[in-house]
Amino acid sequence: QVRLVESGGGLVQAGGSLRLSCAASGRTFSSYAMGWFRQAPGKERDFVAAISWSGGNTDYADSVKGRFTVSRDNAKNTVYLQMNSLKPEDTAVYYCAAARGGSSVTTYYTRLSYDFWGQGTQVTVSS
């Protein structure tokens, strides 16, 4: 069992930056691939970014490539999402998720691949 707690959301102007954190409980964090998803009001929960358990591979949605960076610190049981050049369309609740299995370079971009989810953190980008 893994418990995930996101933090770092807030209100920011367009063009600004935020860094989200996701702290995980449990001693096996380093064996989980991690992902970030977001859900805007009235929309589906969409993939944003993913990182393999080793940190050696990452994957991004086209809409955030070049602006967002996912990273992890297995010693701190934490995964991060650095968000730069934020746009109003980035406004959403952001969720982190953990997936069991996979190789050191496996990343997952589908919701069904993930076994555990955090409660989410709100990101609002004003124009």
Side-chain angles (χ1 to χ4, degrees), residues 49-107:
I51 187 166
S52 62
W53 62 255
S54 70
N57 192 30
T58 57
D59 194 14
Y60 298 93
D62 288 343
S63 59
V64 306
K65 279 181 182 176
R67 300 189 298 123
F68 290 12
T69 302
V70 60
S71 61
R72 66 189 298 161
D73 186 338
N74 286 341
K76 295 183 178 180
N77 280 15
T78 302
V79 63
Y80 305 98
L81 185 67
Q82 177 67 43
M83 305 186 296
N84 298 330
S85 302
L86 282 162
K87 305 175 181 179
E89 51 263 43
D90 294 319
T91 295
V93 177
Y94 283 71
Y95 299 89
C96 72
R100 289 175 289 209
S103 72
S104 62
V105 295
T106 300
T107 57

Side-chain angles (χ1 to χ4, degrees), residues 4-16:
L4 304 172
V5 180
E6 301 96 335
S7 62
L11 174 63
V12 63
Q13 287 188 330

